[in-house]
Amino acid sequence: MRSTHAAQTAHGPYAALESLMRERLGRECVYMPSCRLGLYVALRHWCPRGGRILMSPVTDDVIFFVVLAAGLRPVQAPVNERDGSLDPAAVPDSVWRGLSAVLTTNLYGNPDPAPELRARCDALGIPLIEDGAHALGSEVAGRPVGSFGDASVFSLSKHVGARTGGFVAVADPGPGLRTELARARDALLEPARPHSELAYAVRPYAEAGVRGLRLVRAARATLRLLGQQERTEIRMPLRPAELRRAVAEGGAAGAVRANGGGLAALHPWIRVDLHDYRRRPGRVRLARTERLLAGLDERLDAHRRGTEKLLATPWGAPATAGGGPVQPLFRVPLLVQDRDAAIAALARHRITTGYLYDPPLDAYAGGEFTDPSPAPGPAARFARHALPVDPRLADRVIPVLTALGAEPPDMRGGEGEGPGGGG
């Protein structure tokens, strides 16, 4: 792997991974065991506690809980109903003036308008934090997603397929910033466990065997019994009374001073789908992750080819209509009128649909925990009709949807205009 001895000495066991990502992004990168932990570290560093942060209502609920854990008030933004990207022009001036930060999502790899958001944040003197979990390889204005913010966070569980790991990338490392972020990470880490490393090593082979034997449903039922799968619906249970207590506990003075105060208080929500998000990685994880990251370009090419095919279908909503390059989307959000029927048809062909974010966060969490979007209709429509498809499965998915007679939805508005309209 391409890493210098000096880097190995300076950055320890994560040096090779950080070097690979630095070369790709052109920014200093600090390894994290997960994107969600990296986001927490970034928010705590750049954003004042109690501040208001603009974010997308169409994103993973785990991200919402990370924002709460960091002591921030989420403010839901309007989005483009065709691809789920943030719509800065639809944010009222009164909302902009009350913000302390902006968090992008780059949903499914479709870039948010980072240059405009960067200009807005500069004018207001507030930080821009980019969530590039879905967008490793995507570009906007000729630059990589993640190269516009004061900080950006990435996941190695998505395009890379490592099921572990992430990064915080910084615009200006400055004297000591890298060390400060690494110390904040290390203070939050849980110790490595041999059985966790063993489970990580054998999981890909076990999952391949389960798929081959068509035992996916049985495997998921077993995971639920073991407490490793906590979702029965698209969104995890909010449990508002418990969440209210956890937010208050995380904001208490003693918790703020303690390592991971807010993170510890909201741990039952933040750990969902990834119980090892704070686990110190062992050699097995790091070696496999390094190997997969080194081969990322081949995977991105496969995503790009499939994305082009899917966007050319009647259900595609290309964000590149203006002639820009096709992005290597992590998932292509096809828009279908009857998404449930499409999901069922795909399931009959052993194609699983994931990464659904319905209803939008303001409908899910309510006004007690977040400020609602000033224009919720587009997010509600997008969340209801978006069918995220792995572009590498394009040649399997397109015939299924064609045989089903799936129709694109009418996205002209008039339904789901209120914050509760997301289904």
Side-chain angles (χ1 to χ4, degrees):
M1 293 296 165
R2 294 167 295 176
S3 58
T4 66
H5 176 72
Q8 289 281 3
T9 302
H11 306 325
Y14 313 130
L17 285 168
E18 291 172 342
S19 177
L20 286 168
M21 191 64 175
R22 188 185 308 114
E23 291 176 17
R24 179 173 295 277
L25 196 59
R27 285 189 165 197
E28 185 64 39
C29 297
V30 181
Y31 177 85
M32 297 283 161
S34 67
C35 181
R36 63 189 71 178
L37 185 67
L39 178 59
Y40 178 80
V41 169
L43 293 176
R44 286 297 306 272
H45 181 85
W46 273 275
C47 304
R49 288 191 66 86
R52 299 158 62 82
I53 184 167
L54 189 73
M55 63 180 294
S56 171
V58 189
T59 188
D60 196 331
D61 39 33
V62 167
I63 300 302
F64 175 76
F65 294 117
V66 170
V67 170
L68 291 178
L72 300 170
R73 172 73 176 183
V75 177
Q76 304 305 320
V79 303
N80 183 319
E81 65 183 12
R82 302 300 296 181
D83 63 13
S85 61
L86 292 178
D87 184 0
V91 179
D93 287 341
S94 58
V95 174
W96 282 115
R97 289 193 295 270
L99 295 177
S100 299
V102 173
L103 172 64
T104 68
T105 293
N106 303 292
L107 186 62
Y108 303 129
N110 281 309
D112 287 319
E116 181 178 350
L117 292 169
R118 177 73 271 173
R120 290 269 191 172
C121 288
D122 287 344
L124 294 167
I126 61 176
L128 173 65
I129 311 295
E130 295 183 82
D131 183 347
H134 289 182
L136 191 53
S138 292
E139 295 184 353
V140 58
R143 290 167 53 181
V145 166
S147 64
F148 291 86
D150 297 85
S152 53
V153 295
F154 290 90
S155 169
L156 299 178
S157 295
K158 306 298 189 296
H159 287 88
V160 177
R163 295 187 178 276
T164 187
F167 292 100
V168 173
V170 296
D172 180 10
L177 176 57
R178 182 186 209 298
T179 299
E180 185 176 349
L181 294 174
R183 284 176 178 167
R185 171 201 65 203
D186 292 345
L188 296 168
L189 293 184
E190 296 175 340
R193 293 180 179 174
H195 79 271
S196 176
E197 285 295 293
L198 177 61
Y200 175 80
V202 303
R203 182 167 181 169
Y205 305 102
E207 289 180 342
V210 163
R211 286 193 295 269
L213 293 171
R214 304 190 181 189
L215 296 176
V216 173
R217 290 183 180 178
R220 287 178 176 167
T222 301
L223 287 172
R224 282 194 294 270
L225 287 173
L226 294 172
Q228 296 295 304
Q229 190 172 61
E230 295 136 307
R231 295 182 190 269
T232 57
E233 303 293 338
I234 294 173
R235 296 291 192 190
M236 74 175 80
L238 184 70
R239 308 195 304 278
E242 297 173 46
L243 180 60
R244 190 179 307 119
R245 290 192 294 270
V247 170
E249 177 186 336
V256 171
R257 288 193 298 269
N259 289 338
L263 197 68
L266 274 83
H267 177 71
W269 292 267
I270 295 173
R271 73 173 187 173
V272 169
D273 301 328
L274 190 64
H275 283 205
D276 284 350
Y277 76 97
R278 295 173 66 175
R279 184 76 57 204
R280 185 181 298 276
R283 287 180 295 177
V284 172
R285 289 178 191 252
L286 292 175
R288 181 170 182 266
T289 302
E290 185 179 346
R291 175 175 56 81
L292 290 171
L293 182 57
L296 176 61
D297 286 333
E298 184 176 348
R299 295 174 72 99
L300 290 177
D301 286 343
H303 279 261
R304 194 174 287 107
R305 290 191 298 269
T307 295
E308 188 169 21
K309 292 179 181 180
L310 289 167
L311 292 181
T313 69
W315 319 286
T320 57
V326 174
Q327 307 284 357
L329 299 187
F330 171 61
R331 294 291 183 267
V332 179
L334 300 182
L335 298 176
V336 295
Q337 178 63 32
D338 190 344
R339 185 179 62 201
D340 289 344
I343 290 173
L346 292 171
R348 290 193 291 271
H349 289 78
R350 299 171 59 202
I351 300 173
T352 301
T353 303
Y355 298 97
L356 294 164
Y357 306 122
D358 186 21
L361 289 172
D362 38 8
Y364 163 68
E368 179 178 1
F369 300 107
T370 184
D371 286 8
S373 167
R381 290 191 292 276
F382 178 83
R384 182 184 304 114
H385 296 298
L387 177 71
V389 172
D390 186 336
R392 295 170 298 177
L393 303 179
D395 291 336
R396 293 176 59 195
V397 169
I398 292 172
V400 173
L401 296 182
T402 301
L404 179 66
E407 297 180 352
D410 182 352
M411 300 293 280
R412 292 176 296 179
E415 57 172 340
E417 293 296 338

Coordinates of all heavy atoms in Angstrom, one line a residue, residues 161 163 202-220 223 288 299 331 347 349-352 390 392-393 396:
G161 N -17.7 -1.1 0.9 CA -18.2 -2.4 1.3 C -17.5 -3.0 2.5 O -17.5 -4.2 2.7
R163 N -18.0 -2.5 5.7 CA -18.9 -2.7 6.9 C -18.3 -2.2 8.1 O -18.6 -2.6 9.2 CB -19.3 -4.2 7.0 CG -20.1 -4.7 5.9 CD -20.6 -6.1 6.3 NE -21.5 -6.7 5.2 CZ -22.8 -6.4 5.1 NH1 -23.4 -5.6 6.0 NH2 -23.5 -7.0 4.1
V202 N -15.8 -13.5 9.7 CA -16.6 -14.5 9.1 C -17.9 -14.1 8.6 O -18.6 -14.8 7.8 CB -16.9 -15.7 10.1 CG1 -15.6 -16.2 10.7 CG2 -17.8 -15.2 11.3
R203 N -18.4 -12.8 8.9 CA -19.7 -12.4 8.5 C -19.9 -12.4 7.0 O -20.9 -12.8 6.5 CB -20.0 -11.0 9.0 CG -21.4 -10.5 8.7 CD -21.8 -9.3 9.5 NE -23.1 -8.8 9.1 CZ -23.8 -7.9 9.7 NH1 -23.3 -7.4 10.8 NH2 -25.0 -7.6 9.3
P204 N -18.9 -11.9 6.1 CA -19.2 -11.9 4.7 C -19.4 -13.3 4.2 O -20.2 -13.5 3.3 CB -17.9 -11.3 4.1 CG -17.3 -10.5 5.2 CD -17.6 -11.3 6.5
Y205 N -18.7 -14.3 4.7 CA -18.9 -15.7 4.2 C -20.2 -16.3 4.7 O -20.9 -17.0 4.0 CB -17.7 -16.6 4.7 CG -16.4 -16.0 4.4 CD1 -15.6 -15.4 5.3 CD2 -15.9 -16.2 3.1 CE1 -14.4 -14.8 4.9 CE2 -14.7 -15.7 2.7 CZ -13.9 -15.0 3.6 OH -12.7 -14.5 3.3
A206 N -20.6 -15.9 5.9 CA -21.9 -16.4 6.5 C -23.0 -15.8 5.7 O -24.0 -16.5 5.3 CB -22.0 -16.0 7.9
E207 N -22.9 -14.5 5.3 CA -24.0 -13.9 4.6 C -24.1 -14.4 3.2 O -25.2 -14.6 2.6 CB -23.8 -12.3 4.5 CG -24.0 -11.7 5.9 CD -23.8 -10.2 5.8 OE1 -23.1 -9.7 4.8 OE2 -24.2 -9.5 6.7
A208 N -23.0 -14.7 2.6 CA -23.0 -15.3 1.2 C -23.7 -16.7 1.3 O -24.5 -17.0 0.4 CB -21.6 -15.4 0.7
G209 N -23.4 -17.5 2.3 CA -24.0 -18.8 2.5 C -25.5 -18.7 2.7 O -26.3 -19.4 2.1
V210 N -25.9 -17.7 3.5 CA -27.3 -17.5 3.7 C -28.1 -17.1 2.5 O -29.1 -17.6 2.1 CB -27.5 -16.4 4.8 CG1 -29.0 -15.8 4.8 CG2 -27.2 -16.9 6.2
R211 N -27.4 -16.2 1.7 CA -28.1 -15.9 0.4 C -28.2 -17.1 -0.5 O -29.2 -17.3 -1.2 CB -27.3 -14.7 -0.3 CG -27.5 -13.4 0.4 CD -26.9 -12.3 -0.5 NE -25.5 -12.4 -0.7 CZ -24.6 -11.8 0.1 NH1 -25.0 -11.1 1.1 NH2 -23.3 -11.9 -0.1
G212 N -27.1 -17.9 -0.6 CA -27.2 -19.0 -1.4 C -28.2 -20.0 -1.0 O -28.8 -20.7 -1.9
L213 N -28.5 -20.1 0.3 CA -29.5 -21.1 0.7 C -30.9 -20.5 0.8 O -31.8 -21.1 1.3 CB -29.1 -21.6 2.1 CG -27.8 -22.5 2.1 CD1 -27.4 -22.7 3.6 CD2 -28.0 -23.8 1.4
R214 N -31.0 -19.2 0.4 CA -32.3 -18.5 0.5 C -32.8 -18.4 1.9 O -34.0 -18.7 2.2 CB -33.3 -19.1 -0.5 CG -32.8 -19.2 -1.9 CD -33.9 -19.6 -2.9 NE -33.4 -19.6 -4.2 CZ -34.1 -19.8 -5.3 NH1 -35.4 -19.9 -5.2 NH2 -33.6 -19.9 -6.5
L215 N -32.0 -18.1 2.9 CA -32.4 -18.1 4.3 C -32.3 -16.7 4.8 O -32.2 -16.5 6.0 CB -31.4 -19.0 5.1 CG -31.5 -20.5 4.8 CD1 -30.4 -21.2 5.6 CD2 -32.9 -21.1 5.0
V216 N -32.5 -15.7 4.0 CA -32.4 -14.3 4.4 C -33.4 -13.9 5.5 O -33.0 -13.3 6.5 CB -32.5 -13.3 3.2 CG1 -32.5 -11.9 3.6 CG2 -31.4 -13.6 2.2
R217 N -34.6 -14.3 5.3 CA -35.6 -14.0 6.3 C -35.3 -14.7 7.6 O -35.5 -14.1 8.7 CB -37.0 -14.4 5.8 CG -37.6 -13.6 4.7 CD -39.0 -14.0 4.3 NE -39.5 -13.2 3.2 CZ -40.7 -13.4 2.6 NH1 -41.5 -14.4 3.1 NH2 -41.0 -12.6 1.6
A218 N -34.9 -15.9 7.6 CA -34.6 -16.6 8.8 C -33.4 -16.0 9.5 O -33.4 -15.8 10.8 CB -34.3 -18.1 8.5
A219 N -32.4 -15.5 8.7 CA -31.3 -14.9 9.3 C -31.6 -13.6 10.0 O -31.2 -13.3 11.1 CB -30.2 -14.6 8.2
R220 N -32.5 -12.8 9.4 CA -32.9 -11.6 10.0 C -33.7 -11.8 11.2 O -33.6 -11.0 12.2 CB -33.8 -10.8 9.0 CG -33.0 -10.2 7.8 CD -33.8 -9.5 6.8 NE -33.0 -8.8 5.8 CZ -33.5 -8.3 4.7 NH1 -34.8 -8.4 4.4 NH2 -32.7 -7.8 3.8
L223 N -31.2 -12.4 13.9 CA -30.6 -11.2 14.3 C -31.5 -10.4 15.3 O -31.0 -9.8 16.3 CB -30.2 -10.4 13.1 CG -29.0 -10.9 12.3 CD1 -28.9 -10.0 11.0 CD2 -27.7 -10.8 13.1
R288 N -8.5 -5.7 6.0 CA -9.6 -5.9 5.0 C -10.1 -4.6 4.4 O -10.3 -4.4 3.2 CB -10.8 -6.7 5.6 CG -11.9 -6.9 4.6 CD -12.9 -7.9 5.1 NE -13.9 -8.2 4.1 CZ -15.1 -7.6 4.0 NH1 -15.4 -6.6 4.9 NH2 -16.0 -7.9 3.1
R299 N -15.0 -0.5 -8.2 CA -16.3 -0.5 -7.7 C -17.1 0.8 -8.2 O -18.3 0.7 -8.6 CB -16.3 -0.6 -6.2 CG -15.8 -1.9 -5.7 CD -15.7 -1.9 -4.2 NE -17.0 -2.0 -3.5 CZ -17.5 -3.1 -3.1 NH1 -16.9 -4.2 -3.2 NH2 -18.7 -3.0 -2.5
R331 N -26.9 4.5 -4.4 CA -28.2 3.9 -4.8 C -28.8 4.9 -5.7 O -28.7 6.1 -5.5 CB -29.1 3.7 -3.5 CG -28.6 2.6 -2.6 CD -28.8 1.3 -3.2 NE -28.4 0.2 -2.2 CZ -27.2 -0.3 -2.1 NH1 -26.2 0.1 -2.9 NH2 -27.0 -1.3 -1.2
A347 N -38.5 -8.3 -4.3 CA -38.2 -9.3 -3.3 C -38.5 -10.7 -3.8 O -37.8 -11.7 -3.5 CB -39.1 -9.1 -2.0
H349 N -37.8 -11.7 -6.6 CA -36.6 -12.0 -7.4 C -35.3 -11.9 -6.5 O -34.2 -11.8 -7.1 CB -36.5 -11.1 -8.6 CG -37.5 -11.4 -9.6 ND1 -38.8 -10.9 -9.5 CD2 -37.4 -12.0 -10.8 CE1 -39.5 -11.3 -10.6 NE2 -38.7 -12.0 -11.4
R350 N -35.5 -12.0 -5.2 CA -34.4 -12.0 -4.3 C -33.5 -10.8 -4.4 O -32.3 -10.8 -4.2 CB -33.5 -13.3 -4.4 CG -34.3 -14.6 -4.2 CD -33.5 -15.8 -4.6 NE -32.2 -15.8 -3.8 CZ -31.2 -16.5 -4.2 NH1 -31.2 -17.2 -5.3 NH2 -30.1 -16.5 -3.4
I351 N -34.2 -9.6 -4.6 CA -33.5 -8.3 -4.6 C -34.1 -7.5 -3.4 O -35.3 -7.2 -3.4 CB -33.8 -7.6 -5.9 CG1 -33.2 -8.4 -7.1 CG2 -33.1 -6.2 -5.9 CD1 -33.6 -7.8 -8.5
T352 N -33.2 -7.2 -2.5 CA -33.7 -6.5 -1.2 C -33.5 -5.0 -1.4 O -32.6 -4.5 -2.0 CB -32.8 -7.0 0.0 OG1 -32.9 -8.4 0.1 CG2 -33.3 -6.3 1.2
D390 N -29.6 -0.5 -6.0 CA -28.2 -0.7 -6.2 C -27.9 -0.7 -7.7 O -28.3 -1.5 -8.4 CB -27.8 -2.0 -5.5 CG -26.2 -2.2 -5.5 OD1 -25.5 -1.6 -6.4 OD2 -25.8 -3.0 -4.7
R392 N -25.5 -1.6 -9.3 CA -24.8 -2.9 -9.8 C -25.8 -3.9 -10.2 O -25.5 -4.9 -10.9 CB -23.8 -3.4 -8.8 CG -22.6 -2.4 -8.6 CD -21.8 -2.8 -7.4 NE -22.6 -2.8 -6.1 CZ -22.2 -3.2 -5.0 NH1 -20.9 -3.7 -4.8 NH2 -23.0 -3.1 -3.9
L393 N -27.1 -3.7 -9.8 CA -28.2 -4.7 -10.1 C -29.1 -4.2 -11.2 O -30.2 -4.7 -11.3 CB -29.0 -5.0 -8.8 CG -28.2 -5.5 -7.6 CD1 -29.2 -5.7 -6.4 CD2 -27.5 -6.8 -7.9
R396 N -30.8 -6.6 -13.5 CA -31.8 -7.4 -12.9 C -33.1 -6.6 -12.5 O -34.2 -7.2 -12.6 CB -31.3 -8.1 -11.7 CG -30.2 -9.1 -11.9 CD -29.6 -9.6 -10.6 NE -30.7 -10.3 -9.8 CZ -30.5 -10.6 -8.5 NH1 -29.4 -10.3 -7.9 NH2 -31.5 -11.2 -7.9

